[in-house]
Amino acid sequence: MPGREFLQIPGPTNVPDRVLRAMDRPMVDHRGPEFGSFVRGLLPDVARVYGTQGGRIVIFPTSGTGASEAALVNTLAPGDPVLAFDHGHFANLLTRTARNLGLRVDEVSVDWRRPIPAELVEGSLRSEAGRAMRAVLVVHNETSTGVRNDIAAIRRAMDAAGSDALLIVDTVSSLGSTEVRFDEWRVDVAFTGSQKGLMLPPGLGLLCIGARGLAASERGGSPRSFFDWRPVLRENEAGFYPYTPATLTLYGLREALNMLFEEGLPNVHARHRRLAAAVRAAARAWELDVYCLEEGACSDTLTSVVTPERLDSAEVIRIARERFALSLGVGLGKVKGKLFRIGHLGALNELEVLATIGGVEMSLAECGLPIRLGSGAAAAEKALLAREAVTA
Amino acid sequence: MPGREFLQIPGPTNVPDRVLRAMDRPMVDHRGPEFGSFVRGLLPDVARVYGTQGGRIVIFPTSGTGASEAALVNTLAPGDPVLAFDHGHFANLLTRTARNLGLRVDEVSVDWRRPIPAELVEGSLRSEAGRAMRAVLVVHNETSTGVRNDIAAIRRAMDAAGSDALLIVDTVSSLGSTEVRFDEWRVDVAFTGSQKGLMLPPGLGLLCIGARGLAASERGGSPRSFFDWRPVLRENEAGFYPYTPATLTLYGLREALNMLFEEGLPNVHARHRRLAAAVRAAARAWELDVYCLEEGACSDTLTSVVTPERLDSAEVIRIARERFALSLGVGLGKVKGKLFRIGHLGALNELEVLATIGGVEMSLAECGLPIRLGSGAAAAEKALLAREAVTA
Amino acid sequence: MPGREFLQIPGPTNVPDRVLRAMDRPMVDHRGPEFGSFVRGLLPDVARVYGTQGGRIVIFPTSGTGASEAALVNTLAPGDPVLAFDHGHFANLLTRTARNLGLRVDEVSVDWRRPIPAELVEGSLRSEAGRAMRAVLVVHNETSTGVRNDIAAIRRAMDAAGSDALLIVDTVSSLGSTEVRFDEWRVDVAFTGSQKGLMLPPGLGLLCIGARGLAASERGGSPRSFFDWRPVLRENEAGFYPYTPATLTLYGLREALNMLFEEGLPNVHARHRRLAAAVRAAARAWELDVYCLEEGACSDTLTSVVTPERLDSAEVIRIARERFALSLGVGLGKVKGKLFRIGHLGALNELEVLATIGGVEMSLAECGLPIRLGSGAAAAEKALLAREAVTA
Amino acid sequence: MPGREFLQIPGPTNVPDRVLRAMDRPMVDHRGPEFGSFVRGLLPDVARVYGTQGGRIVIFPTSGTGASEAALVNTLAPGDPVLAFDHGHFANLLTRTARNLGLRVDEVSVDWRRPIPAELVEGSLRSEAGRAMRAVLVVHNETSTGVRNDIAAIRRAMDAAGSDALLIVDTVSSLGSTEVRFDEWRVDVAFTGSQKGLMLPPGLGLLCIGARGLAASERGGSPRSFFDWRPVLRENEAGFYPYTPATLTLYGLREALNMLFEEGLPNVHARHRRLAAAVRAAARAWELDVYCLEEGACSDTLTSVVTPERLDSAEVIRIARERFALSLGVGLGKVKGKLFRIGHLGALNELEVLATIGGVEMSLAECGLPIRLGSGAAAAEKALLAREAVTA
């Protein structure tokens, strides 16, 4: 297909040319002095994106799933009770990972279309079983639904319940695009993958570890080897790794962080809010439901759009891909076929969003929906210009 | 600025990633055997794009302007009378080049908003001065206006006038995107640059030379050295060059030709027609004039949109660039300030065109024009879907 | 430093330009149909490098260390007794990984300068403890010493002892450069990383799993999640992954395999033998000991050179790096300071080896050793020309 | 062929990865404000390499040959008498270009194996014909022989003869590697191509124009268009060009200049002297003649090695290429078959030179010459270590 394809799944996101070029370089000696100082300069800048002063950063050559395993095996032991939520496909995967590793997960069902209610967290932790919980596992921004949880509120709920459980947060589709305040929210361990807001190819799992997370790993955790972060932290002091790190992707990370800081993290976050508002405006113009029912909890990084009963969302996705070289996200888990997901995170701007909206509305029309062509674009443009005005 | 910029000037065009990567390679020995066979395989494929069986291809490391000089100095001598047309900025440049090189140019004024009338060509050549003409210089697709000339009609006019002048055609912004039928139209010399429909960075001038053009160069021409195509043709027999060729760009050319042939030249041309129709539909929806007044002569590779009297087109361009990272073409020569040009040639698809239209309409709105947001997108989408239906 | 650096550590190796360029590309949808067929075509070609018809390939986004963990947790359960050997730094790391994961490792000490004696393996397995062994863990080509073990002989020893233990082999610094005959040697699980003979950046762990390895994982293994190969094998049927794979590195793998097959695997192996012989000839010319004492067991992919008592090998390495932009491998574990390692695997040719030898001999001279300058080059050139003669 | 090829022709030289990556980027609008300031920053840095304060830089998208044409047509008119020298293949080409353009060239024969004697220049200019000379054309570093002319001495000879001819100097294979002192030597016009000491792909011709060269172009010169530097100088004031410049190569130039300045120009020059000395030492060790007979005039950027009568130098070159992936330069013009040329300019270091020497000596041995293997490497290493000692 001629021209640039539009990859608007909610990750992997589009890797900027600058980042690709930074990775297209001769191999280096990962035990040489240059590499050591490079790594020592890199880690604090990742911490800055996490919004932490004291948190420790550990980067594994793995996926986001691998990073979630690292978060669990370092801090929890087989048999430990943990609280989790049936709140989306990726929340479910976190539960499954925890169970695979021998944790006893109490998985509480909640409405997938709204954020996890803080009072439910508090209630769960106040119960007899709840008081024993060693950790609460939450997804910050659920990539399967586009619902963002209020981590600060969940932390307050934990406090209110008097829980000393660890707060372990999946920031896979938030970090780098939506603000994460690791310190302020008193997160104990957060994790992400490289291929979302950090604008990198997949291949890195990045964790941020607070003092309590660290303490837990030093006194316990599960049997572990590759994902043990203790030797990593030890060798990172000098900028090295106990295994061969994914050097090229780390060089890409350096460039991606440079780009985030050049734009300014607050501007990055504001841009994502602006683009997300435009996408939701388009969905409303098409008279289709956004899956997330609370405007304030709608994700800034992806939007799930519900298709009418008679239309399998996979058909919209197929036409968008085949006719317009536009990749959209499928419905995962129990929402399979019912919604499609528009990713709007990472390296992205206004015109790319308009192209995406144009592609979606032509695809919807081709599926036979009574879409007024141009309506999504009109609504999105209005939203973008209004936001511009506000910002200026 | 985050995300991908939209370079929608009428050239240089967006170089596809595949082409950029093909040029990102270690240097080669341009006198070694591999390079020789590479070049020998390359030249016939350029001829295919020109629509010629017998035409000879010569590639210089130069710009399109340099290629025009090569066309002139090889076939014409100082003092030779040639017929040219004041039909746009690039037609004017061709006249200027010819005059710089000592040719006597009869530059006939024509309406910039319509194609050159064939009867005017015939009339000019029938006059006494006209009968002496050694060449007719025409721009196939005038990049400053978006008006396409009918080369077949001009050739017929030359025949009707009994002229044996050479037909020298600037195909800079047509070749590779709009069909050029070198043999059928009996063009004698055509030239282009690499940075338009061939989807390459600037740096190559490519000529196609017919039998009469070749004969003219063998028996005459101007004093010349670098642009003398005779030694090039001679050394090209074995795949070599009398100077150091721009090797990397030639590797890029190989990949660009591969892409054109994979898509199929007729499909490439149809795509450009489809995208051009969408852009013009958007202009109509904005109630702005397309500069070209004859629908059948409107360029498939760029569209000049006239701004209302009160609005300097440079202001639209400035806002598009600064606010939306969208580059548009300025008005050149006598239409400076009066129009902006949307390039839609080379590696380009539907969604990129929609993004461009969205950017233009937001920019027009920001300039205070009473544009209905989304109107251009709506019109363009309709045009695209209708065309799709026709094609399918 | 100007010019090309020489990275001659025993991995990461030099990534060819073709491979780097294949990875420098826009991100793809790893759940889209193109990616699925890409993966399905890729896996059998990895199997070909392993020398297997029936073995199954699993690729994790991880390091070689991670791959070793995958080999263990899928086939063995905590408490299982396994036989391993104190035969080098990486053999020791494998033992440590196994112990971290709760396996009961019987680590038998052997001479680091010679291959593991087959009769020792047989003897160990015939003992009472030996008869209970569930697995034998061996490093094919010990990267810390340059000693290659005879896996066929070890398998015969296991047979002779009547052991039904699994044979788990680390092929990290052999696969792709030195022949691995997975089927013929009846290996049960082999693993490697991407950054050695496969000429890729670090970031992939690649396993080959035989029928018995597979059966073990289906009926048992350790608690596991990320490194569980069962869901990978399941989703790989359609070319997909249960997590986000390291897509770009997989595209690099495709290109690296193409290069190996274009050269021909037997030629690749012969080239490594030829280059290794040249390096050892140079070491003899310098009157320095090669660490490996049995010529037939000397690694084709790296050579450890012993420095005289009075000279810390780290000093040679420092001078090579600082003065000549040449990276060599340090001594690891108990041979720290006693030897330096020259990597000669992956994308490498005769002249690069001569450059390396020149750099080493100048560095040795600068360290004050009574090296005759040019002696290493002379010996290496003789070896290379002799080999050429034999091959031709 | 596996591994890195060694391109040791005297240009195009190896383009550093940093430079290749700087050119591997999306196209830009060459009429946009960013590009304007980019160009304005670039030109003074080229001047710095030329060793000029007041000289003006003009860059054409062309080859070095094209740049030589620009030097001539801007300053001289058809019929103008100029002095040139039959001193090598590229000197001959310069004469041919001048004649093609209608200049009356007095081509004085000199010994190709020694620099042009200053007294010969003075004598020629003192003759009656000589007093009319409008320009003296000299090649600084003759790429076909490896003989370097003393431009300062030639300028003094011109002064002594009272000539007011322009001094036009070909610095194609010197600039960027060997010091050029444009101001101190009072050169009037110097020119080069991008593909030598500037470490770029071919495609740019770069001129440096002094006050007298500029004056000549303003009051005269030949009929010209593309190569007219006046409009370029005019538009360059704002950072623009009258034609589409070779934008990507200009970005490469920016990075190449950064690299030269990071290393420091005096260090760059010293490095080339050091490497050249090593290559000549190797030739002596092989008991082969260096073509240049005066040690002080031997080029720092290439060395021509004479093969014995019975051995066609093309055979050495063929074997080097086919067996060892090493590209050497052929003998050009009257020395065809008699010598091969080793390029040692641009991005190059000690170990790459040793690799080259190793490849040459193995090729010579394979041609049946009684070369002592390792002798060249020994001599080169001694030379390199001695120089290191001197420098330190």
Side-chain angles (χ1 to χ4, degrees):
Chain A
M1 282 231 196
R4 303 186 289 188
E5 303 198 5
F6 284 79
L7 181 72
Q8 298 308 137
I9 56 176
T13 63
N14 295 293
V15 179
D17 283 297
R18 278 176 60 180
V19 172
L20 281 173
R21 272 346 81 71
M23 296 190 302
D24 184 356
R25 48 171 291 164
M27 216 45 39
V28 296
D29 182 358
H30 62 291
R31 300 196 194 281
E34 288 83 2
F35 191 74
S37 32
F38 165 73
V39 168
R40 283 201 311 274
L42 188 67
L43 299 175
D45 281 346
V46 177
R48 196 171 145 193
V49 183
Y50 266 114
T52 187
Q53 301 280 342
R56 302 288 300 273
I57 300 298
V58 168
I59 303 177
F60 287 100
T62 189
S63 67
T65 315
S68 76
E69 176 157 333
L72 300 177
V73 293
N74 279 284
T75 56
L76 299 161
D80 277 354
V82 301
L83 179 66
F85 302 92
D86 175 1
H87 182 242
H89 182 67
F90 290 94
N92 291 348
L93 282 186
L94 188 53
T95 292
R96 192 170 75 189
T97 296
R99 284 180 175 154
N100 284 340
L101 298 168
L103 304 181
R104 286 192 297 121
V105 186
D106 181 11
E107 191 186 33
V108 178
S109 282
V110 289
D111 183 353
W112 278 28
R113 302 189 69 172
R114 301 178 183 280
I116 300 168
E119 54 278 15
L120 181 73
V121 178
E122 186 181 337
S124 300
L125 291 172
R126 278 184 189 283
S127 71
E128 192 181 326
R131 284 195 299 271
M133 289 299 164
R134 303 296 305 271
V136 176
L137 314 184
V138 198
V139 177
H140 181 204
N141 186 83
E142 174 59 54
T143 317
S144 64
T145 60
V147 175
R148 188 179 55 244
N149 283 309
D150 183 342
I151 304 299
I154 289 172
R155 166 53 79 187
R156 284 192 301 269
M158 292 172 68
D159 291 346
S163 171
D164 71 343
L166 295 170
L167 175 56
I168 298 180
V169 180
D170 171 332
T171 60
V172 170
S173 61
S174 57
L175 192 84
S177 296
T178 292
E179 191 167 21
V180 171
R181 303 185 183 185
F182 187 90
D183 283 358
E184 187 184 317
W185 300 341
R186 283 176 292 127
V187 177
D188 294 305
V189 187
F191 59 87
T192 194
S194 46
Q195 75 276 14
K196 308 269 179 174
L198 293 178
M199 309 183 292
L200 291 165
L204 298 184
L206 305 98
L207 293 106
C208 185
I209 312 160
R212 294 180 69 231
L214 210 58
S217 73
E218 274 156 13
R219 66 169 186 263
S222 302
R224 62 199 184 269
S225 189
F226 178 75
F227 284 124
D228 194 341
W229 65 42
R230 291 168 300 179
V232 182
L233 286 167
R234 210 153 46 226
E235 296 219 19
N236 273 185
E237 296 286 335
F240 298 112
Y241 278 93
Y243 48 78
T244 311
T247 44
L248 289 193
T249 320
L250 293 177
Y251 284 109
L253 176 57
R254 174 69 277 162
E255 189 70 11
L257 292 169
N258 292 349
M259 291 178 74
L260 290 176
F261 298 153
E262 285 168 20
E263 187 178 355
L265 288 176
N267 296 328
V268 172
H269 302 146
R271 171 166 56 85
H272 281 85
R273 276 196 301 279
R274 193 165 67 239
L275 299 179
V279 170
R280 291 195 300 273
R284 278 192 298 269
W286 299 326
E287 299 182 12
L288 293 178
D289 286 343
V290 168
Y291 187 76
C292 177
L293 292 175
E294 289 188 17
E295 176 70 13
C298 283
S299 167
D300 290 341
T301 63
L302 76 132
T303 298
S304 292
V305 178
V306 182
T307 49
E309 283 264 317
R310 67 185 181 285
L311 175 60
D312 187 325
S313 64
E315 183 62 7
V316 183
I317 292 164
R318 186 184 66 78
I319 285 185
R321 187 182 62 238
E322 294 180 2
R323 295 279 295 271
F324 304 111
L326 167 64
S327 293
L328 300 169
V330 296
L332 293 168
K334 77 179 186 191
V335 291
K336 185 159 179 256
K338 296 186 197 311
L339 55 78
F340 60 88
R341 294 174 298 144
I342 302 174
H344 36 78
L345 73 166
L348 198 72
N349 60 32
E350 284 85 350
L351 298 200
E352 288 174 286
V353 164
L354 289 185
T356 303
I357 287 171
V360 170
E361 77 189 4
M362 290 196 294
S363 301
L364 292 170
E366 289 294 279
C367 286
L369 290 198
I371 291 291
R372 194 159 48 79
L373 290 178
S375 60
E381 290 176 18
K382 266 167 221 156
L384 290 172
L385 290 182
R387 284 281 182 156
E388 292 264 325
V390 167
T391 313
Chain B
M1 282 231 197
R4 302 187 290 188
E5 304 197 5
F6 284 79
L7 181 72
Q8 297 310 135
I9 55 176
T13 61
N14 295 293
V15 179
D17 282 298
R18 276 176 60 180
V19 172
L20 282 173
R21 272 344 82 71
M23 296 189 301
D24 185 355
R25 47 171 292 164
M27 215 46 38
V28 296
D29 182 359
H30 61 292
R31 300 195 196 280
E34 288 84 1
F35 190 73
S37 32
F38 165 73
V39 168
R40 282 201 312 274
L42 187 67
L43 299 176
D45 281 347
V46 177
R48 195 170 146 196
V49 183
Y50 266 114
T52 187
Q53 301 280 340
R56 302 289 300 274
I57 300 299
V58 169
I59 304 177
F60 287 101
T62 188
S63 67
T65 315
S68 75
E69 176 157 331
L72 300 177
V73 294
N74 279 284
T75 56
L76 299 163
D80 278 354
V82 302
L83 179 65
F85 302 91
D86 174 1
H87 183 242
H89 181 68
F90 290 95
N92 291 348
L93 283 185
L94 189 51
T95 292
R96 193 169 75 189
T97 295
R99 287 183 173 150
N100 283 341
L101 298 168
L103 304 180
R104 285 193 296 121
V105 186
D106 180 13
E107 191 185 32
V108 177
S109 282
V110 289
D111 183 353
W112 280 27
R113 303 188 69 171
R114 300 179 185 280
I116 300 169
E119 53 278 14
L120 180 72
V121 177
E122 187 181 335
S124 302
L125 291 172
R126 278 186 189 281
S127 71
E128 194 183 323
R131 284 195 297 271
M133 289 298 164
R134 304 295 306 272
V136 176
L137 314 183
V138 199
V139 176
H140 182 205
N141 186 82
E142 174 57 57
T143 318
S144 64
T145 60
V147 175
R148 187 179 56 243
N149 283 310
D150 183 342
I151 304 299
I154 288 172
R155 165 52 82 187
R156 282 191 304 267
M158 292 172 68
D159 291 347
S163 171
D164 71 343
L166 294 170
L167 176 56
I168 298 180
V169 181
D170 170 332
T171 60
V172 170
S173 61
S174 57
L175 192 86
S177 296
T178 292
E179 192 167 21
V180 171
R181 301 185 182 185
F182 187 88
D183 284 357
E184 188 184 318
W185 301 339
R186 284 177 292 128
V187 177
D188 295 305
V189 186
F191 59 86
T192 194
S194 46
Q195 75 276 15
K196 308 269 178 172
L198 294 177
M199 310 183 292
L200 291 165
L204 298 184
L206 305 99
L207 293 105
C208 186
I209 312 162
R212 293 180 69 231
L214 210 57
S217 72
E218 274 155 14
R219 65 168 188 264
S222 304
R224 59 199 187 270
S225 189
F226 178 74
F227 284 124
D228 194 342
W229 64 43
R230 291 169 299 178
V232 182
L233 286 167
R234 213 155 41 229
E235 296 220 19
N236 273 185
E237 296 287 334
F240 298 112
Y241 279 92
Y243 48 79
T244 311
T247 44
L248 289 192
T249 320
L250 292 177
Y251 283 110
L253 175 58
R254 176 68 276 161
E255 189 71 11
L257 292 169
N258 292 350
M259 292 178 74
L260 290 176
F261 298 152
E262 285 169 18
E263 186 178 356
L265 288 176
N267 296 328
V268 171
H269 301 147
R271 171 167 55 85
H272 281 85
R273 276 197 299 280
R274 193 165 66 239
L275 300 180
V279 170
R280 290 196 301 273
R284 277 193 298 270
W286 300 326
E287 300 181 11
L288 293 178
D289 285 343
V290 169
Y291 186 76
C292 177
L293 293 175
E294 289 187 17
E295 176 71 13
C298 284
S299 167
D300 289 343
T301 63
L302 76 132
T303 299
S304 291
V305 178
V306 182
T307 48
E309 283 264 317
R310 66 184 182 284
L311 175 60
D312 187 326
S313 64
E315 183 62 10
V316 182
I317 293 164
R318 186 184 66 79
I319 285 185
R321 189 182 60 238
E322 294 180 3
R323 296 279 294 270
F324 303 111
L326 167 63
S327 293
L328 300 170
V330 296
L332 292 169
K334 76 179 186 192
V335 293
K336 185 158 181 255
K338 296 185 196 312
L339 54 79
F340 60 88
R341 294 174 299 143
I342 301 174
H344 36 77
L345 74 166
L348 198 72
N349 60 30
E350 284 84 351
L351 298 200
E352 289 174 286
V353 165
L354 290 185
T356 302
I357 287 170
V360 170
E361 78 188 6
M362 289 197 293
S363 300
L364 292 169
E366 289 294 279
C367 286
L369 290 198
I371 292 292
R372 194 158 49 77
L373 291 177
S375 59
E381 289 176 17
K382 266 168 221 154
L384 290 172
L385 290 182
R387 285 278 181 157
E388 292 264 324
V390 168
T391 313
Chain C
M1 282 230 196
R4 301 186 291 189
E5 303 197 6
F6 284 80
L7 181 72
Q8 298 308 137
I9 56 175
T13 63
N14 295 292
V15 178
D17 282 298
R18 277 176 61 180
V19 172
L20 282 173
R21 269 348 78 74
M23 295 190 302
D24 185 355
R25 48 171 291 163
M27 216 46 39
V28 295
D29 182 358
H30 62 291
R31 300 195 196 281
E34 288 84 2
F35 191 74
S37 33
F38 165 75
V39 168
R40 284 200 311 274
L42 187 67
L43 299 176
D45 281 346
V46 177
R48 196 172 146 194
V49 183
Y50 266 114
T52 186
Q53 302 280 341
R56 301 289 299 274
I57 301 298
V58 169
I59 304 178
F60 287 100
T62 188
S63 68
T65 315
S68 77
E69 176 157 333
L72 300 177
V73 295
N74 278 285
T75 56
L76 298 162
D80 277 354
V82 301
L83 180 65
F85 302 91
D86 174 1
H87 182 243
H89 182 67
F90 291 94
N92 290 348
L93 282 186
L94 188 52
T95 292
R96 193 171 73 189
T97 296
R99 285 180 175 153
N100 283 340
L101 297 168
L103 304 180
R104 284 192 296 118
V105 185
D106 181 12
E107 191 185 33
V108 178
S109 283
V110 290
D111 183 353
W112 278 28
R113 302 190 68 171
R114 300 177 184 281
I116 300 168
E119 54 277 16
L120 182 72
V121 178
E122 186 180 337
S124 300
L125 292 171
R126 278 184 188 283
S127 71
E128 193 182 326
R131 284 195 297 271
M133 289 298 165
R134 304 295 306 272
V136 177
L137 313 184
V138 198
V139 175
H140 181 205
N141 186 83
E142 174 58 55
T143 318
S144 65
T145 60
V147 176
R148 186 178 58 244
N149 283 309
D150 183 343
I151 304 299
I154 288 171
R155 166 53 81 186
R156 282 192 302 269
M158 292 171 68
D159 291 347
S163 170
D164 71 344
L166 295 170
L167 176 56
I168 297 179
V169 181
D170 170 333
T171 61
V172 170
S173 61
S174 58
L175 192 84
S177 298
T178 292
E179 190 167 22
V180 171
R181 303 185 182 185
F182 187 89
D183 283 358
E184 188 184 318
W185 300 339
R186 283 177 291 129
V187 177
D188 295 305
V189 186
F191 59 86
T192 193
S194 47
Q195 75 276 15
K196 309 269 178 173
L198 294 178
M199 310 183 292
L200 291 165
L204 298 183
L206 305 98
L207 293 106
C208 186
I209 312 161
R212 293 180 69 231
L214 210 57
S217 73
E218 274 155 13
R219 66 168 187 263
S222 303
R224 60 198 185 270
S225 188
F226 178 76
F227 284 124
D228 194 341
W229 65 43
R230 292 168 299 178
V232 181
L233 286 167
R234 212 154 43 227
E235 296 219 17
N236 273 185
E237 296 288 333
F240 298 112
Y241 279 92
Y243 47 79
T244 310
T247 45
L248 289 192
T249 320
L250 293 177
Y251 283 109
L253 176 57
R254 176 68 277 161
E255 188 70 11
L257 292 170
N258 291 350
M259 292 179 74
L260 290 176
F261 298 153
E262 285 168 21
E263 187 178 356
L265 288 176
N267 297 329
V268 171
H269 302 146
R271 171 167 56 85
H272 281 87
R273 277 196 300 279
R274 193 165 65 240
L275 300 179
V279 170
R280 291 195 301 272
R284 278 192 297 269
W286 300 326
E287 299 181 13
L288 293 178
D289 286 343
V290 168
Y291 187 76
C292 177
L293 292 174
E294 289 188 17
E295 177 71 13
C298 283
S299 168
D300 290 340
T301 62
L302 76 133
T303 298
S304 292
V305 179
V306 182
T307 48
E309 283 264 318
R310 66 184 181 285
L311 175 60
D312 187 325
S313 64
E315 183 62 8
V316 183
I317 292 163
R318 186 185 65 78
I319 285 184
R321 188 182 61 239
E322 294 180 1
R323 296 279 295 269
F324 305 110
L326 168 64
S327 294
L328 301 169
V330 297
L332 293 168
K334 76 179 187 193
V335 292
K336 186 160 179 252
K338 295 186 197 311
L339 55 80
F340 61 89
R341 294 174 298 144
I342 302 174
H344 36 79
L345 74 165
L348 198 73
N349 60 31
E350 285 84 349
L351 298 200
E352 289 173 286
V353 164
L354 289 185
T356 303
I357 287 170
V360 170
E361 78 189 4
M362 290 197 293
S363 301
L364 292 168
E366 290 293 279
C367 286
L369 289 198
I371 291 293
R372 192 158 50 78
L373 290 178
S375 59
E381 289 176 18
K382 265 168 222 156
L384 289 172
L385 290 182
R387 284 279 181 156
E388 293 264 326
V390 167
T391 313
Chain D
M1 281 232 196
R4 301 187 290 188
E5 303 198 5
F6 284 79
L7 181 72
Q8 298 310 135
I9 56 176
T13 61
N14 295 293
V15 179
D17 282 298
R18 277 176 60 180
V19 172
L20 281 174
R21 273 343 82 71
M23 296 190 301
D24 185 356
R25 47 171 291 163
M27 215 46 39
V28 295
D29 182 358
H30 62 292
R31 301 196 195 280
E34 288 82 3
F35 190 73
S37 33
F38 165 73
V39 168
R40 283 201 312 274
L42 187 67
L43 299 176
D45 282 346
V46 178
R48 196 171 147 194
V49 183
Y50 265 114
T52 188
Q53 301 280 341
R56 302 288 299 275
I57 301 299
V58 169
I59 304 177
F60 287 100
T62 189
S63 68
T65 314
S68 76
E69 176 158 331
L72 299 177
V73 295
N74 278 285
T75 56
L76 299 162
D80 278 354
V82 302
L83 180 65
F85 303 91
D86 174 1
H87 182 242
H89 181 67
F90 290 94
N92 291 348
L93 282 186
L94 189 51
T95 292
R96 192 170 74 189
T97 296
R99 287 182 173 152
N100 284 341
L101 298 168
L103 304 181
R104 284 192 297 119
V105 185
D106 181 13
E107 191 185 32
V108 178
S109 282
V110 290
D111 184 352
W112 280 28
R113 302 189 70 171
R114 300 181 185 279
I116 300 169
E119 54 279 15
L120 180 71
V121 177
E122 186 181 336
S124 301
L125 291 172
R126 277 186 189 283
S127 72
E128 194 182 324
R131 283 196 296 273
M133 290 297 166
R134 303 298 305 273
V136 176
L137 314 183
V138 199
V139 176
H140 182 205
N141 186 83
E142 174 57 55
T143 318
S144 65
T145 60
V147 176
R148 187 179 57 242
N149 284 309
D150 184 341
I151 304 300
I154 287 172
R155 166 52 83 186
R156 282 192 302 268
M158 291 172 69
D159 291 347
S163 170
D164 72 343
L166 294 170
L167 177 55
I168 298 180
V169 181
D170 170 332
T171 60
V172 170
S173 62
S174 57
L175 192 85
S177 296
T178 292
E179 190 168 22
V180 171
R181 302 184 183 186
F182 187 89
D183 283 358
E184 188 183 319
W185 300 340
R186 284 177 291 128
V187 177
D188 295 305
V189 186
F191 59 86
T192 194
S194 46
Q195 75 275 16
K196 308 270 176 171
L198 294 178
M199 309 183 293
L200 291 166
L204 298 184
L206 306 98
L207 294 104
C208 186
I209 311 161
R212 293 181 69 230
L214 210 58
S217 73
E218 275 156 14
R219 65 168 186 264
S222 304
R224 59 198 187 271
S225 188
F226 179 74
F227 284 125
D228 194 342
W229 64 44
R230 290 169 301 177
V232 181
L233 286 167
R234 211 154 44 227
E235 295 220 18
N236 274 185
E237 296 287 335
F240 297 112
Y241 279 92
Y243 48 78
T244 310
T247 44
L248 289 193
T249 320
L250 294 177
Y251 283 110
L253 176 57
R254 176 68 276 163
E255 189 71 11
L257 292 170
N258 292 350
M259 292 178 74
L260 290 176
F261 298 153
E262 285 169 19
E263 186 178 356
L265 288 176
N267 297 330
V268 171
H269 302 147
R271 170 167 57 84
H272 281 86
R273 277 197 299 281
R274 192 164 67 239
L275 300 179
V279 170
R280 290 196 300 274
R284 279 192 298 270
W286 299 326
E287 300 182 12
L288 293 178
D289 286 343
V290 169
Y291 186 75
C292 177
L293 292 175
E294 288 188 19
E295 177 71 13
C298 284
S299 168
D300 289 343
T301 63
L302 76 131
T303 297
S304 292
V305 178
V306 182
T307 49
E309 283 266 316
R310 67 186 181 284
L311 176 59
D312 187 326
S313 63
E315 184 62 10
V316 184
I317 292 164
R318 186 184 65 78
I319 286 184
R321 187 182 62 238
E322 294 180 2
R323 296 279 295 271
F324 304 111
L326 167 63
S327 293
L328 300 170
V330 296
L332 293 168
K334 77 178 187 193
V335 292
K336 185 157 181 255
K338 297 186 194 312
L339 55 79
F340 60 87
R341 294 174 297 144
I342 302 174
H344 36 79
L345 73 166
L348 198 73
N349 61 29
E350 284 84 350
L351 298 200
E352 289 174 287
V353 165
L354 289 184
T356 302
I357 287 171
V360 170
E361 81 188 4
M362 290 197 294
S363 300
L364 292 169
E366 290 294 278
C367 285
L369 289 199
I371 292 292
R372 194 158 49 78
L373 291 177
S375 59
E381 290 176 16
K382 266 168 221 154
L384 290 172
L385 290 182
R387 285 278 180 156
E388 293 264 326
V390 167
T391 314

